[in-house]
Amino acid sequence: MISVQHVSKTFRSGASVTAALQDVSLEVAEGEIFGVIGQSGAGKSTLIRAVNLLERPDSGTVTVAGDELTAMSPAELLRARRKIGMVFQHFNLLAGRTVRGNVELGLEIIGVDGDERRRRALEILDLVGLADKAGSYPAELSGGQKQRVGIARALAGKPKVLLSDEATSALDPETTRSILDLFKRINADLGLTVLLITHEMEVIKRICDSAALIENGRIVEQGRIVSLISTAGSRLAHELFPLGDAPHSAGDTVIDITFSGGSADRPVIAQLARTYGLDVSILGAAIETIGGNQAGRTRLQLPGSPSANLRPIEDLRSQGMLVEIVGE
Amino acid sequence: MIDPSAPDFWSGLFQVLLVGTGQTLYMVGVALLITIIVGLPLGIVLVGTEPGGLFEKLFGSRRLGQVVNKVLEFVVNLGRSVPFIILMVALIPFTRLVVGTFIGPTAAIVPLAVVAIPFFARMVEIAIKEVDTGLIEAAESLGATRWQIVSKVLVPEALSPMILGLSTTVTSIINFSAMVGTVAGGGLGDVAVRYGYQRYSTIHMVAVIIVIFVIVMVLQGLATMLAKRFAHKSRPERAEPTSAALRASATAGSV
Ligand SMILES: Nc1ncnc2c1ncn2[C@@H]1O[C@H](COP(=O)(O)OP(=O)(O)OP(=O)(O)O)[C@@H](O)[C@H]1O
Ligand SMILES: [Mg+2]
């Protein structure tokens, strides 16, 4: 649905040169929620703004819903943008328009006439749970309500894709969850493809099907979360299930086991104890439900050096679990 | 010397004031109309053609955008820095060309509009610069054309500070209209000079001052009310920078 190919963007202001995006490629499948995570200044905003060409890349191509935006004339681009809704961190609502007026903005732009505009705006406001606020001004709303208006505005033109630039970063945790749930609902009910960027793992965990990690303008990892979890050395997986740096006594073996899908509910520890007579201690664990599947990581300490524990580790691996030896 | 105890003094004063006020309102009103019609787009183009602005590439040419910006910048600065009295005299040939004469209220409209346009254009520029660029991006993301961004986002969102700017502009037009009156124009300034000064009628002078004061107060009250009506601000402190900036530039702008 969204295909970003070899996109680069460099900002030059005076003597300073910032390579905000360096050869970035991204594939977002139809109907999924794709999250891009990275630290401040990593290039997240630049990337998402490149998707609807608010920021024109220096090189590379961007294709959304079959339209190659980077090859379009300015007039064609305006029309193509109507298939792409965007939600902003600071809402960006017009202060002089009511909630309904804000939602109607996009419809006015595409030339929908008055009655139809009103009807559709009210319908969408109902969808985001703000039907009773249609006549209020943004100044009279809470942050969460403002973001719902922002989402309603983005949805009014019936886009195929929704882009979200840190839509929940200005909101408190509870409001964040309700907005994320709204994204999820829109995604499920309207079949909308969502590309969101965030600096919070929580967001990825809660609603994303796929994720990418961006660092210094480069995508260092991307994929479906279910498969990232079972990828050795995946930093996203580690971030999703942080186990920290548990101290362990020298001479013992510390292993991180990642479970996903079927292996999640297997009695691993009991099995190790029974089969190998091992005295296993649990140093840490993180279990989450992602996309309806239980997934998680557990850090275990086994007595004896890694070379002494080769057999049990092999055994676990052969059962489809991802086992990483910490400190190796 | 006019005798205030003469039987027709008060009706005469009333007559003179009525005519003077009518002429002033006519001069100021038409000059204001022209100022809005020319100054608003001028202000918009002034902001738009700045680097990174909406019209940075005017008709597809970045060079043209730069040139237009530089030229307008120069014209506006020139218009705002030349003292009105000099501008007025310098404009006499132009006024004659446009109106056919340089005497009378209609002729006075020309220098009034000429001095007010750059002044108001600056106000528009300041007001529009205050509009959050995020709003422009939001409109762009919805597929808005540049014209739609101007008409649906920039102008409506800057309406409140623009109305305040307009009120400052109209005050200075009234101010200058009195000056034009003393030279050749008619209106309340003319009344003040001919009756109050040349014929020593303090009552005429005071009456003119009162009428002008009332006009200015009414207009400013109206503007403040309208500005409030269009502001929809959540936090009052956010309105501060705008009005402070406008006040600062208004002080700098008046002669
Ligand atoms: N218009 C611009 N001009 C110059 N440099 C820019 C511009 N926009 C972004 N940058 C630079 O590009 C880099 C990436 O910026 P970007 O806004 O994409 O980061 P981000 O990941 O969204 O950060 P944050 O989480 O803080 O929003 C930063 O170093 C930033 O300073
Ligand atoms: Mg950002």
Side-chain angles (χ1 to χ4, degrees):
Chain A
M1 185 50 86
I2 302 174
S3 172
V4 173
Q5 295 296 328
H6 308 292
V7 160
S8 296
K9 175 80 191 181
T10 302
F11 291 108
R12 288 185 179 77
S13 52
S16 84
V17 177
T18 314
L21 295 177
Q22 304 178 55
D23 194 23
V24 167
S25 298
L26 208 68
E27 286 292 337
V28 181
E30 181 163 2
E32 74 171 341
I33 302 185
F34 192 110
V36 177
I37 189 160
Q39 294 191 330
S40 184
K44 303 184 298 291
S45 294
T46 311
L47 172 59
I48 202 157
R49 287 155 47 81
V51 172
N52 60 0
L53 254 58
L54 283 181
E55 200 77 74
R56 190 172 274 280
D58 300 332
S59 59
T61 62
V62 177
T63 310
V64 178
D67 299 326
E68 190 185 336
L69 304 185
T70 34
M72 286 183 154
S73 72
E76 287 171 326
L77 178 61
L78 292 186
R79 218 158 304 120
R81 275 189 184 146
R82 296 167 186 176
K83 292 193 215 166
I84 310 171
M86 190 165 190
V87 182
F88 302 86
Q89 177 175 4
H90 299 294
F91 324 126
N92 296 352
L93 303 178
L94 300 183
R97 285 182 178 230
T98 60
V99 165
R100 177 162 71 86
N102 269 285
V103 176
E104 285 187 14
L105 178 66
L107 300 173
E108 280 174 36
I109 287 169
I110 62 180
V112 177
D113 75 37
D115 285 346
E116 171 68 6
R117 236 171 28 219
R118 183 191 163 85
R119 200 189 57 72
R120 264 214 251 171
L122 293 176
E123 186 184 307
I124 301 276
L125 281 172
D126 200 33
L127 177 80
V128 301
L130 276 184
D132 56 328
K133 294 284 182 193
S136 305
Y137 285 91
E140 302 157 14
L141 303 180
S142 71
Q145 289 171 330
K146 283 183 197 164
Q147 196 54 288
R148 283 169 193 271
V149 179
I151 293 170
R153 176 178 64 187
L155 293 180
K158 302 197 168 143
K160 298 207 156 34
V161 167
L162 186 65
L163 307 177
S164 156
D165 186 348
E166 305 255 15
T168 58
S169 298
L171 306 174
D172 62 61
E174 194 177 326
T175 315
T176 293
R177 279 194 291 277
S178 79
I179 294 290
L180 292 179
D181 290 346
L182 177 60
F183 275 144
K184 188 89 203 168
R185 213 174 78 219
I186 292 163
N187 166 256
D189 295 356
L190 308 179
L192 210 67
T193 306
V194 180
L195 172 62
L196 61 85
I197 64 166
T198 181
H199 60 264
E200 294 164 319
M201 253 317 161
E202 191 55 42
V203 173
I204 305 274
K205 247 185 224 177
R206 198 171 174 92
I207 61 169
C208 290
D209 303 305
S210 301
L213 176 64
I214 184 169
E215 250 177 24
N216 299 322
R218 292 179 189 278
I219 300 279
V220 284
E221 214 181 316
Q222 69 173 304
R224 295 191 60 80
I225 291 182
V226 203
S227 38
L228 284 175
I229 290 169
S230 43
T231 305
S234 161
R235 291 186 35 204
L236 274 169
H238 280 237
E239 299 275 343
L240 280 168
F241 309 109
L243 293 174
D245 316 303
H248 62 96
S249 49
D252 286 340
T253 309
V254 176
I255 56 172
D256 285 352
I257 304 179
T258 305
F259 313 92
S260 64
S263 61
D265 41 19
R266 241 175 261 169
V268 175
I269 296 168
Q271 200 185 1
L272 285 175
R274 209 174 324 118
T275 319
Y276 300 97
L278 287 175
D279 203 0
V280 181
S281 12
I282 302 173
L283 299 180
I287 308 236
E288 301 280 345
T289 306
I290 295 180
N293 292 317
Q294 267 226 325
R297 297 202 308 141
T298 311
R299 177 166 293 172
L300 301 178
Q301 184 175 350
L302 311 179
S305 69
S307 52
N309 284 306
L310 282 181
R311 283 204 6 101
I313 291 172
E314 268 319 305
D315 197 8
L316 291 174
R317 284 187 175 144
S318 70
Q319 293 177 42
M321 275 171 250
L322 178 69
V323 182
E324 292 164 272
I325 301 168
V326 179
E328 277 224 322
Chain B
M1 182 76 190
I2 298 179
D3 179 8
S5 57
D8 59 350
F9 174 81
W10 292 103
S11 65
L13 170 71
F14 182 73
Q15 262 308 307
V16 164
L17 278 181
L18 201 65
V19 171
T21 307
Q23 286 176 338
T24 292
L25 289 181
Y26 163 68
M27 284 190 279
V28 173
V30 178
L32 185 65
L33 204 65
I34 297 172
T35 300
I36 296 173
I37 293 170
V38 182
L40 181 62
L42 186 62
I44 292 168
V45 175
L46 213 49
V47 195
T49 51
E50 278 191 357
L54 213 50
F55 304 113
E56 185 184 23
K57 289 187 199 152
L58 206 57
F59 303 113
S61 154
R62 187 179 296 267
R63 187 95 201 99
L64 181 63
Q66 276 171 354
V67 169
V68 167
N69 185 260
K70 286 276 172 328
V71 169
L72 292 185
E73 221 18 80
F74 176 78
V75 169
V76 165
N77 281 335
L78 185 75
R80 295 206 341 147
S81 55
V82 176
F84 182 67
I85 196 95
I86 297 176
L87 191 75
M88 195 172 64
V89 176
L91 277 174
I92 286 177
F94 177 68
T95 306
R96 238 200 212 125
L97 192 77
V98 178
V99 191
T101 171
F102 67 95
I103 294 179
T106 306
I109 291 168
V110 175
L112 287 179
V114 168
V115 76
I117 286 168
F119 185 80
F120 182 56
R122 268 282 184 254
M123 298 285 180
V124 171
E125 185 190 1
I126 293 169
I128 286 182
K129 271 189 183 159
E130 292 259 331
V131 175
D132 185 351
T133 51
L135 299 184
I136 300 174
E137 291 214 328
E140 281 180 330
S141 79
L142 292 165
T145 61
R146 292 193 289 189
W147 167 243
Q148 285 173 326
I149 292 173
V150 169
S151 64
K152 291 185 189 298
V153 177
L154 292 182
V155 172
E157 286 293 302
L159 205 54
S160 163
M162 277 189 325
I163 289 170
L164 290 178
L166 195 62
S167 124
T168 320
T169 308
V170 85
T171 307
S172 68
I173 297 182
I174 291 172
N175 182 355
F176 290 136
S177 83
M179 217 186 289
V180 185
T182 64
V183 178
L188 288 168
D190 189 31
V191 174
V193 170
R194 274 195 295 132
Y195 294 85
Y197 176 69
Q198 287 166 356
R199 288 145 100 176
Y200 308 107
S201 172
T202 313
I203 295 176
H204 277 79
M205 194 60 107
V206 169
V208 165
I209 291 173
I210 291 173
V211 172
I212 289 184
F213 179 71
V214 168
I215 294 175
V216 170
M217 288 319 281
V218 167
L219 286 175
Q220 284 194 345
L222 195 72
T224 311
M225 199 187 76
L226 283 176
K228 268 221 189 85
R229 161 89 182 65
F230 289 113
H232 302 292
K233 286 263 170 19
S234 49
R235 285 164 297 235
E237 68 268 16
R238 286 193 72 193
E240 271 313 297
T242 309
S243 36
L246 282 170
R247 245 182 274 120
S249 89
T251 328
S254 52
V255 174

